[in-house]
Amino acid sequence: MNVLKTILFLISITVPCLTGQAQASEQDLSFDVLRNGEKIGMHQIIFEKHGADLNVSIQTDVEVKIMFVAVYKFHHKSMETWKNGQLVGLYSKTNDDGTLHQLSLARQNNVLSGTSDGKEISITRDILPASLWHPKIINSLSLLNTLEGHEMKIAVHHIGQEIMTTDKGTQPADYYKLTGELERELWFDKDQRLIKVRFKGSDDSEITYKLI
């Protein structure tokens, strides 16, 4: 039973603190995944820096239960490889409630190419993955689907600032809405960390990624 199809992936305008010069904080992030306020899983983003290279490991584990019976499971692991601020590789494996996906991409001659579920694909433009953590997402017109490798066209709207409480205390955070082929609400703190994600599930439930 595919209850939360839009949980498939997460959790990648302008304001003074998040312009095109923005750099990711590269601080590990852990989120509780909530459905209508009830915890259904975890989402983690782990950064490993090696000189000009950055490896970003992402894992999402979700299980939805109704009357103590699991009705939906989603497991996703991915590894992003960045060099000098550019995405040069992406590998992911996903089990979406029994439907399996595997994506493998590498950059050669300024083209991301590889396979998606065994089929050859290529992306000629410089694009951010839809893992949502990178602050330059606010300047994006499209994102790379991290399950199947296709391009998703988006628009990003800066809504304003909200006071948020995080592990670093109470502080203002910039609030954005993504619309188009991916709809998400995102909050970035003053250190340009992704601290919250919110969106509607396919059953109209409210899904929230809450930083812990």
Side-chain angles (χ1 to χ4, degrees):
M1 179 179 178
N2 292 335
V3 178
L4 296 176
K5 210 66 179 175
T6 53
I7 281 181
L8 292 177
F9 52 87
L10 301 181
I11 351 63
S12 270
I13 23 174
T14 54
V15 294
C17 66
L18 285 179
T19 65
Q21 299 300 315
Q23 297 295 321
S25 69
E26 298 172 11
Q27 177 181 337
D28 294 349
L29 303 171
S30 293
F31 299 84
D32 281 338
V33 181
L34 309 176
R35 175 177 180 261
N36 294 332
E38 179 180 349
K39 183 177 176 179
I40 58 171
M42 291 284 296
H43 178 71
Q44 291 185 312
I45 307 174
I46 307 298
F47 300 90
E48 294 184 20
K49 183 82 169 179
H50 304 283
D53 297 338
L54 175 67
N55 293 328
V56 184
S57 176
I58 299 172
Q59 180 167 340
T60 308
D61 294 293
V62 165
E63 182 176 82
V64 179
K65 293 182 177 181
I66 296 178
M67 299 295 291
F68 307 105
V69 177
V71 296
Y72 178 81
K73 295 181 180 180
F74 177 79
H75 304 289
H76 172 80
K77 286 186 177 182
S78 69
M79 175 66 75
E80 300 173 4
T81 303
W82 298 74
K83 190 175 185 67
N84 295 320
Q86 184 181 48
L87 181 70
V88 296
L90 173 62
Y91 177 80
S92 71
K93 292 184 71 174
T94 306
N95 185 337
D96 176 22
D97 207 32
T99 300
L100 304 181
H101 296 287
Q102 185 166 317
L103 177 66
S104 181
L105 297 172
R107 185 174 296 278
Q108 293 183 337
N109 299 322
N110 210 33
V111 176
L112 273 176
S113 60
T115 59
S116 171
D117 297 338
K119 298 179 180 179
E120 292 187 0
I121 62 171
S122 62
I123 298 95
T124 57
R125 71 174 68 233
D126 199 11
I127 191 170
L128 292 178
S131 44
L132 305 182
W133 62 268
H134 202 296
K136 285 187 178 179
I137 193 173
I138 65 171
N139 300 315
S140 297
L141 297 176
S142 62
L143 295 174
L144 177 66
N145 182 299
T146 58
L147 275 74
E148 301 176 56
H150 62 267
E151 182 179 345
M152 300 180 295
K153 296 186 183 301
I154 63 165
V156 183
H157 313 275
H158 181 233
I159 306 303
Q161 287 194 329
E162 293 187 357
I163 301 299
M164 307 284 287
T165 300
T166 71
D167 57 327
K168 296 187 176 182
T170 300
Q171 58 179 296
D174 284 290
Y175 172 31
Y176 299 88
K177 281 188 177 181
L178 275 60
T179 59
E181 294 179 327
L182 180 68
E183 296 191 353
R184 295 291 186 270
E185 296 174 88
L186 310 177
W187 286 260
F188 287 93
D189 71 6
K190 62 181 179 62
D191 297 319
Q192 301 173 10
R193 297 184 308 160
L194 178 67
I195 60 172
K196 184 179 178 181
V197 178
R198 186 170 65 196
F199 57 95
K200 287 289 187 181
S202 59
D203 61 347
D204 208 37
S205 58
E206 182 178 273
I207 308 302
T208 305
Y209 286 27
K210 181 181 178 183
L211 186 67
I212 58 175

